[in-house]
Amino acid sequence: MKYRNPIIPGFYPDPSICRVGDTFCMVCSSFQFFPGVPLFESRDLLNWTQIGHVLTRESQLPLKDANSVGGIYAPTIRYHNGRFYMVTTNVSFGGNFYVWTDDIHGEWSEPIRVEQDGIDPSLYFEDGKAYFMSNGTDDAGMHGVVQCEIDIETGRKLTPAKCIWQGTGGRFLESPHLYKIGGRYYLMAAEGGTEYGHMIVYARGSEIYGPFESYAHNPVLTNRNLGGYVLQGCGHGDLVDDVNGNWWMVHLAFRQIDQWVMHHTTGREVNLVPVTFDADGWFTAGDNGTTRLVMETDRIAADVVQQPIPDKTFANTKVGVDWCYMRNPDFSCYELSETAFRMRGTKDTLETETGRPTFLGIRQQEMKQEITCTVSVPAGEAGMTLYMTAEQHYDIAVSHTETGSEVILRRRVGDLIVVDGHIPVPSGAKVQLRMDCDNFAIRFTAVCDGTTYALGSGRTKYLSTELAGNFTGVMIGLYAKETGDAFAEFTEFCCRCLEKYDAE
């Protein structure tokens, strides 16, 4: 059968996966958004259901002042003795920690801190012992992949951290994971930076602390040499086996807005490739060491159908699952139902890198989409935004001024802020706001009392990671600001994917 990458499109970077019985569980990074660490499950590796988030309480996830390169970095999920563990780094507050649960659909524990530096932490369990790993600095001052034994009940280090591998020489060694397969220890990591030179490398050894011998044909997976190919930045992977004994790798990659245009807007996404071991125990991955938009495999049953992205409305999405806040929210500013979101705006705005603006967003998962929402606001401003960072976002909104209400288009690109439109509308009127997106541009229109107004357009590349210099992707957001004691009302929201996939 053929399947298409990414298997989870949109801003879901740094995937980590484990299997329990016939069910796969996966987590991803979340940075400054709350709740944190999106949590998915699947039975077939292609169709994933987001069942919630791991970090759902402010006590687990303090994000005060976390900007678009702060918050939660790469998590790892593991299952041991009937318990799930998720270990990650809050780079803004507290460093490395893990949480646990006995019910993947329930609440997770309070954070347990690990006094070891580095990021991209991972856990490995063997013979009643728990090992913590990160890319950091060991107790002797050596930098690389470091490992120590910890007390899994308390997070206390039981042994000094030791550097066990320094990679293959590529820059930014990160994303280490340890596995025991066929009696050998395999240490997999990423190098090259989470950009166009990203790659996955590995080594193996007979002892848990090494020495490790690098695979002779590293990198085992990369698209860095596929010029003129949409899918780029393959790296940061995790291995899992299925119930039939086949091995797979999930990893991040991103899609350029065009074959020859090196900008991407939907963030780093989850991709899937098969892994094959040879007679000597070395493995290869993907299509000759690359990841393709369309992959072919006989390891997934032919009757498995990869489902398209459904239209998203208030009725079929959930706050805390699909919808996320920016940093820790003030819940008194939100009144939410399946038919309407009511949001009270404060002085914190989308332009601030700190604070907690009144905002709810979902990931932009495809480049060709149409997004509509009806907005009514009695004071201040409320509308829709395509948000990348505080300095890169496009907003279409109803705004109150001293002379009345108007519909505006605001384009913020770095230090340049342009506000267009200024279409007068009756105070308190219900205005349908619309964004029509394709690979290269977004067109903004508004409808009030049966009249359609064209407000202008914005180029997608100005919302790209290449310009923003961050690690997330575009969020489709609803926001309100400075509404006083009043609530703006959002109704009839719909985000429709227009992408049509053809075989390569």
Side-chain angles (χ1 to χ4, degrees):
M1 69 161 297
K2 291 183 178 180
Y3 68 89
R4 182 170 179 87
N5 278 314
I7 56 170
I8 304 180
F11 153 49
Y12 294 104
D14 308 322
S16 177
I17 190 170
C18 70
R19 178 177 63 85
V20 181
D22 62 354
T23 301
F24 300 94
C25 301
M26 184 159 57
V27 291
C28 301
S29 299
S30 52
F31 293 86
Q32 83 269 38
F33 294 101
F34 183 92
V37 186
L39 176 62
F40 297 85
E41 67 178 9
S42 173
R43 294 291 180 87
D44 58 24
L45 286 171
L46 297 184
N47 298 293
W48 292 84
T49 299
Q50 187 174 350
I51 59 177
H53 288 78
V54 174
L55 306 176
T56 58
R57 307 185 295 276
E58 188 169 351
S59 60
Q60 298 169 312
L61 183 57
L63 289 172
K64 185 178 183 294
D65 298 340
N67 59 22
S68 61
V69 293
I72 292 295
Y73 278 26
T76 296
I77 187 169
R78 293 293 182 257
Y79 182 77
H80 177 65
N81 283 350
R83 178 165 288 179
F84 291 92
Y85 296 88
M86 189 284 301
V87 59
T88 188
T89 314
N90 186 334
V91 299
S92 301
F93 302 94
N96 290 316
F97 69 95
Y98 58 92
V99 293
W100 58 266
T101 185
D102 295 328
D103 177 8
I104 195 69
H105 296 94
E107 290 291 310
W108 293 66
S109 73
E110 288 298 298
I112 301 172
R113 305 290 173 186
V114 180
E115 295 301 321
Q116 174 59 45
D117 73 355
I119 59 172
D120 299 1
S122 189
L123 292 173
Y124 176 76
F125 298 90
E126 183 178 289
D127 295 335
K129 296 180 178 181
Y131 297 87
F132 175 89
M133 172 184 291
S134 68
N135 56 309
T137 305
D138 72 7
D139 287 20
M142 182 175 294
H143 186 80
V145 175
V146 301
Q147 183 171 265
C148 61
E149 185 184 344
I150 63 170
D151 180 344
I152 197 61
E153 298 297 324
T154 66
R156 181 173 62 89
K157 289 171 65 173
L158 300 178
T159 64
K162 178 182 178 182
C163 182
I164 60 174
W165 196 47
Q166 292 185 300
T168 69
R171 65 176 181 163
F172 302 137
L173 176 66
E174 59 187 345
S175 176
H177 293 302
L178 187 69
Y179 317 88
K180 193 173 187 180
I181 304 170
R184 294 187 179 97
Y185 295 96
Y186 290 80
L187 178 52
M188 191 169 76
E191 294 178 342
T194 184
E195 300 147 354
Y196 290 86
H198 215 18
M199 54 186 171
I200 294 177
V201 297
Y202 77 96
R204 74 180 190 189
S206 58
E207 302 292 338
I208 196 168
Y209 280 95
F212 291 93
E213 177 189 0
S214 295
Y215 174 50
H217 304 291
N218 275 323
V220 67
L221 186 80
T222 185
N223 279 17
R224 64 184 181 179
N225 297 321
L226 291 183
Y229 195 68
V230 167
L231 194 66
Q232 295 290 335
C234 299
H236 203 116
D238 200 3
L239 297 178
V240 70
D241 62 341
D242 63 25
V243 294
N244 297 313
N246 300 307
W247 284 89
W248 300 86
M249 181 191 296
V250 293
H251 68 87
L252 66 77
F254 56 80
R255 290 172 293 164
Q256 299 176 175
I257 61 175
D258 182 73
Q259 177 182 7
W260 301 109
V261 180
M262 294 177 66
H263 294 275
H264 71 281
T265 57
T266 52
R268 299 172 297 162
E269 307 171 308
V270 182
N271 293 259
L272 175 74
V273 293
V275 169
T276 303
F277 285 82
D278 66 20
D280 293 327
W282 297 101
F283 67 81
T284 57
D287 182 350
N288 293 315
T290 67
T291 301
R292 300 290 175 161
L293 289 170
V294 177
M295 300 288 296
E296 190 163 3
T297 182
D298 60 0
R299 301 181 182 184
I300 297 175
D303 60 352
V304 174
V305 178
Q306 192 172 14
Q307 298 298 320
I309 299 172
D311 296 348
K312 290 182 170 63
T313 66
F314 288 154
N316 68 5
T317 56
K318 293 182 179 180
V319 175
V321 179
D322 309 274
W323 294 90
C324 295
Y325 304 92
M326 196 182 306
R327 296 179 282 277
N328 302 120
D330 178 353
F331 289 109
S332 69
C333 293
Y334 302 87
E335 296 176 355
L336 310 171
S337 72
E338 290 187 358
T339 58
F341 285 5
R342 300 184 72 245
M343 298 162 60
R344 178 170 57 84
T346 68
K347 292 184 178 180
D348 287 339
T349 71
L350 300 179
E351 281 73 32
T352 60
E353 283 278 12
T354 60
R356 45 186 182 182
T358 303
F359 168 95
L360 280 166
I362 59 175
R363 273 87 167 161
Q364 182 179 357
Q365 293 188 282
E366 296 295 349
M367 291 160 229
K368 296 179 181 178
Q369 292 187 312
E370 60 179 32
I371 308 150
T372 55
C373 190
T374 298
V375 178
S376 175
V377 55
E381 178 180 311
M384 294 198 296
T385 181
L386 292 176
Y387 180 92
M388 176 60 90
T389 71
E391 293 188 343
Q392 272 87 15
H393 53 93
Y394 295 155
D395 316 323
I396 180 173
V398 179
S399 179
H400 284 264
T401 69
E402 294 180 356
T403 58
S405 297
E406 61 181 15
V407 180
I408 62 169
L409 169 62
R410 179 185 299 108
R411 287 163 290 189
R412 170 79 189 263
V413 180
D415 294 331
L416 179 64
I417 305 174
V418 177
V419 181
D420 287 330
H422 302 290
I423 306 298
V425 295
S427 181
K430 292 186 176 182
V431 181
Q432 185 194 65
L433 305 178
R434 181 182 180 106
M435 301 187 291
D436 290 279
C437 311
D438 62 30
N439 297 55
F440 302 104
I442 308 104
R443 293 168 296 282
F444 300 88
T445 55
V447 179
C448 185
D449 292 335
T451 302
T452 300
Y453 302 96
L455 280 80
S457 63
R459 296 186 185 183
T460 58
K461 70 177 183 180
Y462 295 127
L463 300 180
S464 68
T465 299
E466 285 77 7
L467 269 68
N470 70 334
F471 303 118
T472 64
V474 169
M475 297 286 280
I476 300 165
L478 308 177
Y479 76 95
K481 69 175 185 179
E482 297 184 319
T483 63
D485 294 328
F487 281 75
E489 185 173 74
F490 300 83
T491 58
E492 301 175 318
F493 175 85
C494 184
C495 176
R496 177 171 293 113
C497 175
L498 305 178
E499 207 77 38
K500 302 297 181 183
Y501 294 123
D502 300 312
E504 288 183 306

